[in-house]
Amino acid sequence: MSDTLPDPRINAYRDDLASASLKDKVSVARYASGKTRQVVDGAAAMRGEPRHDAALDTELLFGEAVTVYDEQDGWAWAQSQVDSYVGYVSGDALSSHVVEPTHRVGALRTHLYPVADIKAPPLDLLSMNALVAVESVDGRFARLKDGRYAIARHLVPMDERVEDFVVVAQRFLGTPYLWGGRTSIGLDCSALIQISLQAAGVGCPRDSDMQEMSLGEALPDPQDLGSYRQGDLVFWKGHAGIVLDDARLLHANAHFMATVIEPLDEAIARIAGAESPVTSVRRL
């Protein structure tokens, strides 16, 4: 067993319990294989502690699957099957009835209705990349297997992907910044990258440091702005953005508290002024 513990953000272990897959990596009193559950809320908060006032670490989207290792006092200690993130989720947001999704939300966001009528009060709001199981399509509405209805044109088959993730990312322009957010209602810098790449069929880890370690290839000189091109990912300590061209950067950030397009040189200078120079630029 290694003296170095695996990253707890994406490895399910705590002092008293761990995933059975980690038996050779961590020593705890009990191991569990876990049970698959499915998110049934439009977005479900995943927190570092089983409290509603605990910090938001990330969000799980409707239809995503998780592995639940423990359930106590209305909370599930779970691991996302999409990006492996670990945390506590309200048990009310999960269902043991798991339905294989057929489509994902391709629109920025869409409503779920109780009946096939746009005048009916909506039941929930789904954001891009939420997963749904379509039973049938009749005109403008898709009937889901849970009996609810979505706008058919807002959905795309699971295997349909966009060609350019940068185009997807630009659709989030103006979205409020939210630490831990992963929806079109609020998101952070790494979620903007993750959601956009997922829409293009590219697997992507959740946090910016994980993305910097695993995505693409590093440019030889991250300080050479003239070498940047569209789609490059710029990383700082704790932050990331998407290059639109050699003069503009798209990023969700706490400075503007929104997803904005900012002059590239100004963003780099401003963030460097906060003692955070560019650490790398990655090209997919």
Side-chain angles (χ1 to χ4, degrees), residues 164-195:
D164 188 349
F165 84 96
V166 178
V167 173
V168 177
Q170 290 183 83
R171 294 172 64 187
F172 287 87
L173 191 63
T175 299
Y177 179 85
L178 176 64
W179 178 275
R182 195 166 156 256
T183 77
S184 62
I185 302 302
L187 79 175
D188 58 28
C189 65
S190 54
L192 176 65
I193 292 171
Q194 185 191 52
I195 291 168

Side-chain angles (χ1 to χ4, degrees), residues 45-56 72-76 87-90:
M46 177 174 271
R47 306 184 187 277
E49 298 179 43
R51 307 190 330 265
H52 289 290
D53 61 349
L56 178 66
Q72 292 187 40
D73 301 323
W75 289 91
Y88 290 91
V89 184
S90 172

Side-chain angles (χ1 to χ4, degrees), residues 5-23:
L5 291 174
D7 189 337
R9 292 173 297 176
I10 53 173
N11 291 274
Y13 69 92
R14 60 191 195 192
D15 291 343
D16 64 324
L17 177 63
S19 164
S21 65
L22 298 176
K23 282 186 177 181

